[in-house]
Amino acid sequence: MSDITAEVTLLPRGRNVRSGPIVGRSLGCSVVIDGALYGARFELKPGKALELGSTVVLEGSFDDPDAVLKLLEVGKALTLWDRGAIGHGKVLKIHGPANGG
């Protein structure tokens, strides 16, 4: 079950530490929230490529939702991090306990 729905824009080639599209079932990375890193996983459509520079809506879950969800609100900015910035996003919906709080 996902903790959030987020709009994510991957950085384009040349500004991204990744050199090509992300393909697979999920994107495991860290997310920078208020200057701190938190483990996250975003679900991708199996076999579908997520191209650099593209914007998509993804379902995300956190390794420690209790620590992260209290920091989030709809519209909150996120930075996706994997050995460097790979993209930016914003929270569209919160599914966990912080929803409505």
Side-chain angles (χ1 to χ4, degrees):
M1 180 172 197
S2 64
D3 296 317
I4 64 167
T5 302
E7 180 181 76
V8 172
T9 300
L10 293 181
L11 293 174
R13 183 183 299 271
R15 293 185 50 215
N16 198 319
V17 297
R18 292 182 177 256
S19 60
I22 300 166
V23 181
R25 294 179 177 260
S26 64
L27 166 61
C29 63
S30 294
V31 176
V32 181
I33 303 168
D34 298 335
L37 288 172
Y38 300 93
R41 184 162 302 283
F42 292 91
E43 296 307 314
L44 306 177
K45 292 185 179 176
K48 182 169 171 55
L50 186 55
E51 299 293 334
L52 299 183
S54 66
T55 299
V56 294
V57 174
L58 299 173
E59 299 298 314
S61 57
F62 296 100
D63 293 347
D64 188 357
D66 292 336
V68 177
L69 292 178
K70 63 186 176 187
L71 305 173
L72 299 180
E73 60 190 29
V74 172
K76 179 85 170 188
L78 309 169
T79 299
L80 279 65
W81 191 270
D82 184 13
R83 296 170 285 125
I86 61 171
H88 300 285
K90 70 177 176 181
V91 176
L92 299 177
K93 185 173 181 182
I94 299 171
H95 306 286
N99 188 22

